[in-house]
Amino acid sequence: MLTLRQIEVIRAVMVAGSIAGAARLLNVAQPGISRTMKHLEDQLGIKLFLRKGGRYVPSPEAVNIFEQIHEVHKKIEDLQFTIGQLERGRGVELSFGSVPSIANVMVPRAVAEIKRRYPDIRLDIDILKIEDAVDYVMLGRGEFVVMSYRFDHPSILFEPLAKGHLVCIVAPDHPFASRPFVTAREIAACPLIGIDPADPYGGIMAGIFARDALAYEIAIRARFGSTVVALVKQKLGTAVIDVFTVADADRRDIAVVPIAEETEFQTYIARRSDVALSSFAESLVAALRRIMMEAVARA
């Protein structure tokens, strides 16, 4: 059996027409090429090359071997080209979903990182309501969904992504804006802009109010965090929102104030338990996890 290295040496001698030329092509010393050629001829029991006019030319009995070597080398070049394309993400489409709170800021940052690593990869990103996640995963519309909480499902695997927490956001001229933190009681005394208490984040804050027997009345209710932020910018009230949604908020437009009570929550990647993630999906999840953890650390 010829090794790929031996095939490479034979082809280099064919192309260069000399041992010295082959050594230059392969960037190795001439004695190494000479030893390889002698070993090959001894192993095969035939003369591979003849010297004519100062050049090495294929011997008559080795013509068929050289034709096969040329075909093998062409296939290796094709394989290397395909691998190179794959390394750039050429011909790959990665589909995944995300709940809006993480899709607004965190997902674009992770996608930018993946595009730098795989410039030619195509991505299909769906912004999903929590209740749509099961169908999305189970019907194979995408590889995974970024979730803000988990639930029990026999065919869906939840992998921890990053922990986050809630913050209070107000207009820059609000009395809370200069505070090191605010309490749930203080927040409850203000006109509230909020997400439905049935939402995972809304449920965390509703739970805090309930423990302290505080009224949880939302004057303006919005479905998505980006809408809540826009309403606060208009000075229509105070809001409680996740740290990921406001990670790149302009502090000239809103003030982000820590909440005294514990508001930590865990985020997840939801995927089918019987299907492994592709290497591209794993790379994106790893980037997203690191970016989310960095955002929490900065906050």
Side-chain angles (χ1 to χ4, degrees):
M1 294 289 291
L2 296 180
T3 66
L4 289 177
R5 180 59 178 173
Q6 290 171 331
I7 291 172
E8 189 178 34
V9 169
I10 294 172
R11 186 176 183 280
V13 175
M14 289 170 53
V15 171
S18 67
I19 297 296
R24 285 193 297 272
L25 281 176
L26 299 178
N27 197 29
V28 296
Q30 290 186 42
I33 299 293
S34 298
R35 285 194 299 270
T36 299
M37 290 304 304
K38 184 178 185 308
H39 174 73
L40 273 171
E41 290 180 336
D42 291 343
Q43 178 183 341
L44 298 174
I46 60 172
K47 196 78 173 172
L48 292 175
F49 291 97
L50 301 174
R51 289 182 65 91
K52 287 187 178 180
R55 290 183 60 82
Y56 281 74
V57 297
S59 65
E61 58 267 42
V63 170
N64 288 337
I65 292 177
F66 291 129
E67 289 177 355
Q68 295 296 322
I69 285 175
H70 177 73
E71 291 298 318
V72 170
H73 191 271
K74 179 65 168 64
K75 291 183 182 300
I76 292 173
E77 286 184 330
D78 292 343
L79 175 61
Q80 289 173 334
F81 176 79
T82 301
I83 291 172
Q85 296 291 81
L86 192 60
E87 287 175 342
R88 291 180 55 86
R90 178 68 59 84
V92 175
E93 180 169 316
L94 173 58
S95 300
F96 68 97
S98 175
V99 294
S101 57
I102 302 174
N104 288 336
V105 181
M106 299 293 102
V107 166
R109 290 182 182 180
V111 167
E113 185 168 310
I114 291 301
K115 285 293 286 183
R116 286 192 292 270
R117 182 173 176 180
Y118 305 110
D120 296 331
I121 193 171
R122 297 190 301 273
L123 296 112
D124 184 5
I125 307 167
D126 276 309
I127 311 303
L128 301 173
K129 296 179 181 178
I130 293 172
E131 53 268 27
D132 296 331
V134 173
D135 284 350
Y136 184 86
V137 172
M138 295 308 299
L139 295 176
R141 294 173 182 163
E143 290 200 46
F144 63 87
V145 176
V146 184
M147 300 283 290
S148 52
Y149 85 119
R150 61 160 298 154
F151 50 84
D152 291 328
H153 191 286
S155 300
I156 296 180
L157 178 65
F158 287 86
E159 298 178 355
L161 187 57
K163 289 185 177 179
H165 58 268
L166 303 182
V167 292
C168 176
I169 58 172
V170 294
D173 58 355
H174 192 281
F176 289 171
S178 59
R179 296 276 300 276
F181 63 86
V182 292
T183 66
R185 185 173 297 276
E186 291 171 319
I187 294 171
C190 300
L192 292 180
I193 302 169
I195 298 171
D196 195 311
D199 179 274
Y201 300 155
I204 295 172
M205 204 62 213
I208 294 172
F209 289 148
R211 286 198 302 270
D212 293 342
L214 300 172
Y216 184 48
E217 298 179 2
I218 302 175
I220 303 176
R221 184 171 297 179
R223 180 69 178 83
F224 301 115
S226 56
T227 307
V228 171
V229 173
L231 292 167
V232 171
K233 288 180 182 179
Q234 296 300 316
K235 303 182 180 182
L236 295 172
T238 301
V240 174
I241 200 164
D242 65 282
V243 69
F244 302 122
T245 296
V246 295
D248 67 348
D250 191 330
R251 295 307 192 264
R252 293 171 298 182
D253 295 328
I254 63 168
V256 179
V257 188
I259 297 172
E261 288 79 5
E262 179 59 53
T263 63
E264 188 177 73
F265 59 88
Q266 177 72 55
T267 62
Y268 299 89
I269 293 297
R271 64 177 179 87
R272 282 182 56 162
S273 57
D274 60 339
V275 180
L277 292 180
S278 68
S279 59
F280 300 99
E282 288 180 345
S283 296
L284 192 144
V285 169
L288 182 59
R289 179 179 289 113
R290 178 180 51 76
I291 288 167
M292 290 175 70
M293 292 172 67
E294 289 174 353
V296 172
R298 284 194 298 270

